[in-house]
Amino acid sequence: MKPNMPLVTLLTGAALGVGVLVASMLSPSSTASASGYGATPAASKSMAVKPAPASSASGGTSAAAPATTSATTSAPAPATTSAPAPATTSVTVPATAPATAPGTVPAATASVPKADVPSKADYVARTDSGGAAVAISVHAGKAVAYMCNGHAVAAWLKGTAKAGKLELTGKNGARLDVSYRTGKATGSIMADGTKYSFSAPLVHRGSSGHRPPGLYEATATVHGVKIKAGWVVLPGGSQVGSVEYFADADVTPTAQAPVLDLTTGTAQYDGVTLVASLISGFTGSGF
Amino acid sequence: MTAQPDASPPAPADVSLGIGKLVVPSLIGGLVALTLGVYGRLHHPTGVVVNIAGFTSAGYVKSWLATVATAFAIVQVSSALVMYGKIPRVNAPSWIGSLHKWSGRIAFLVAVPVAVNCLYGLGFQTYSTRVLLHSLFGCAFFGAFAIKMLILPKRGLPGWTLPLAGAVVFTVLIGVWFTSAFWFFSTFGLHR
């Protein structure tokens, strides 16, 4: 045996460590592969669900309803043949509309949501357990959701909204299954390996000077690290917020967010001012 | 390591002398652990982690490498038990020493890139109990391993030192693995 093989082992390891460190420093491009992981499942999921023209049509025509002959957006359903075929089929399968009623305009039937299902809505609530909160925004066939527990758990999800159902996906297997109506959204969210259920009432926009309840987001680069903060502001002004580090990477260490000042819409994080923007399906901001 | 025949005449003096030989390696090992922790805390983590083709993400690369290192570490403990004659009715084969040395070297060298990625990409973090424990275990592992390597060639140490050092290294590595790869696989699924 050579004199000091253990020392050789140690030094070899040290040299390897320095080598890998230098290689890491020289390859900033490797983040791209990391961010791809999170994007893939969400993208493929939304692809699978979306008949793109139909979903955009449903949102677009409800806003531009006067142009499509049905002047009354709220109750045109009986007039446009969709009485036997309620929202579930009219939105998902445009092909059935011509089949059942050839004389009507398909776009019109697709545009009419079931009276109970809003096309623009925001919901917030605390989860039934776990000290977390969830916010859901629906706007014109698309939906965004966020949940966090003010500590290590945070998940952003997105996907399509159709017929009062949301199946949203996010990074690392995060998943939200919800049915929503004018009054509330009920369902569950899976994040960080835990399932949280909740029943979230519709947010009513206040007229005070304070920021309304809802979903707030802020991104910033602090000390070279991209961070993304999210807050769920509940009716009454309480809030739950988490901040994720390396927002574009596949693994995002998460911690408690600084308090969001509801009069200014800002928060102080490590000497940096975070400017939060409201994500609202009701107004469409953030979509 | 050949068992030391207990023929050393002045026992108390010999033991204290032997233990004295542990001081410098322990200080160096402590310094290694401290250096890693301080670097991980002060260095602004980049989030950059090198991925390898064929894996879903860098998290999986690290988790599998850590699992490989842990598997070799189990070989380490098993072969050590055989060498010390602790397994009944099993005589140490001639190659057991080589198996022990090479499994240890491989485990260590596989663990190094994982640690570099962690410290460079994520840093020493404390945002949850798991993460804090992982950060502490991870730094402690390399310190403990350095101590064991440094005392390995020394002669005249008390008989319990190497088994203790090996046990500490192994236990800490299991702690590292449990708070990272085990958590990762159980959270995100067991695949590549």
Side-chain angles (χ1 to χ4, degrees):
Chain A
M1 192 166 82
K2 287 283 189 307
N4 201 339
M5 283 309 285
L7 190 61
V8 173
T9 304
L10 267 186
L11 295 177
T12 306
L16 176 65
V18 171
V20 175
L21 183 63
V22 170
S24 299
M25 286 173 170
L26 294 180
S27 70
S29 61
S30 57
T31 40
S33 65
S35 64
Y37 170 59
T40 315
S44 63
K45 192 68 188 173
S46 65
M47 280 302 176
V49 176
K50 116 176 157 184
S55 64
S56 65
S58 69
T61 45
S62 66
T68 60
T69 74
S70 58
T72 56
T73 43
S74 59
T80 58
T81 77
S82 66
T88 46
T89 54
S90 65
V91 176
T92 52
V93 192
T96 58
T100 52
T104 58
V105 185
T109 55
S111 75
V112 179
K114 196 169 168 180
D116 221 14
V117 177
S119 66
K120 302 171 181 179
D122 295 308
Y123 306 91
V124 296
R126 290 187 186 273
T127 54
D128 293 344
S129 61
V134 61
I136 302 169
S137 294
V138 179
H139 182 81
K142 291 194 289 186
V144 174
Y146 178 67
M147 80 85 66
C148 65
N149 69 353
H151 300 288
V153 177
W156 291 93
L157 309 98
K158 56 184 175 181
T160 52
K162 62 176 189 185
K165 292 274 183 198
L166 298 178
E167 293 180 5
L168 312 183
T169 55
K171 277 196 254 189
N172 295 326
R175 182 177 173 84
L176 176 142
D177 288 284
V178 151
S179 60
Y180 67 100
R181 296 290 180 267
T182 302
K184 64 180 178 179
T186 309
S188 66
I189 184 167
M190 180 75 128
D192 209 14
T194 305
K195 192 173 185 180
Y196 304 83
S197 45
F198 58 87
S199 176
L202 191 74
V203 172
H204 296 285
R205 296 286 155 209
S207 56
S208 69
H210 283 63
R211 308 286 160 143
L215 171 56
Y216 291 83
E217 175 205 24
T219 56
T221 301
V222 179
H223 302 314
V225 175
K226 186 176 178 189
I227 65 167
K228 181 175 185 176
W231 295 268
V232 179
V233 175
L234 296 144
S238 67
Q239 58 178 268
V240 182
S242 285
V243 57
E244 294 170 88
Y245 306 91
F246 324 115
D248 295 330
D250 58 341
V251 176
T252 54
T254 304
Q256 184 173 17
V259 174
L260 179 64
D261 185 332
L262 293 177
T263 54
T264 62
T266 61
Q268 294 299 319
Y269 180 84
D270 211 0
V272 176
T273 299
L274 304 179
V275 180
S277 55
L278 177 65
I279 297 178
S280 169
F282 190 73
T283 64
S285 67
F287 274 80
Chain B
M1 293 293 101
T2 55
Q4 301 284 333
D6 296 330
S8 34
D14 184 63
V15 166
S16 65
L17 191 70
I19 291 177
K21 291 178 182 174
L22 297 174
V23 172
V24 172
S26 301
L27 285 177
I28 294 176
L31 209 57
V32 167
L34 202 61
T35 305
L36 294 178
V38 168
Y39 170 79
R41 196 64 187 157
L42 294 184
H43 161 77
H44 293 305
T46 57
V48 174
V49 276
V50 177
N51 199 355
I52 296 177
F55 287 90
T56 311
S57 74
Y60 279 102
V61 176
K62 289 205 294 185
S63 296
W64 279 111
L65 285 177
T67 303
V68 167
T70 306
F72 276 106
I74 292 170
V75 175
Q76 281 277 289
V77 171
S78 311
S79 56
L81 288 173
V82 170
M83 282 194 294
Y84 277 80
K86 296 296 181 189
I87 309 286
R89 289 189 293 284
V90 173
N91 290 321
S94 59
W95 43 262
I96 195 77
S98 300
L99 176 69
H100 187 76
K101 284 174 202 156
W102 279 105
S103 58
R105 286 167 190 162
I106 293 171
F108 171 60
L109 294 180
V110 164
V112 166
V114 183
V116 172
N117 270 335
C118 283
L119 285 169
Y120 180 71
L122 302 175
F124 187 106
Q125 302 292 345
T126 58
Y127 58 84
S128 74
T129 307
R130 176 190 71 78
V131 168
L132 174 61
L133 285 176
H134 180 74
S135 299
L136 290 172
F137 283 148
C139 296
F141 169 76
F142 287 98
F145 185 79
I147 292 173
K148 190 188 177 221
M149 287 298 102
L150 291 173
I151 64 174
L152 202 44
K154 293 196 185 301
R155 298 287 172 255
L157 290 172
W160 48 263
T161 45
L162 273 181
L164 177 68
V168 168
V169 170
F170 177 75
T171 306
V172 172
L173 182 65
I174 293 296
V176 170
W177 179 83
F178 198 73
T179 53
S180 60
F182 176 81
W183 166 83
F184 192 88
F185 285 136
S186 53
T187 303
F188 301 126
L190 182 64
H191 60 84
R192 286 190 304 168

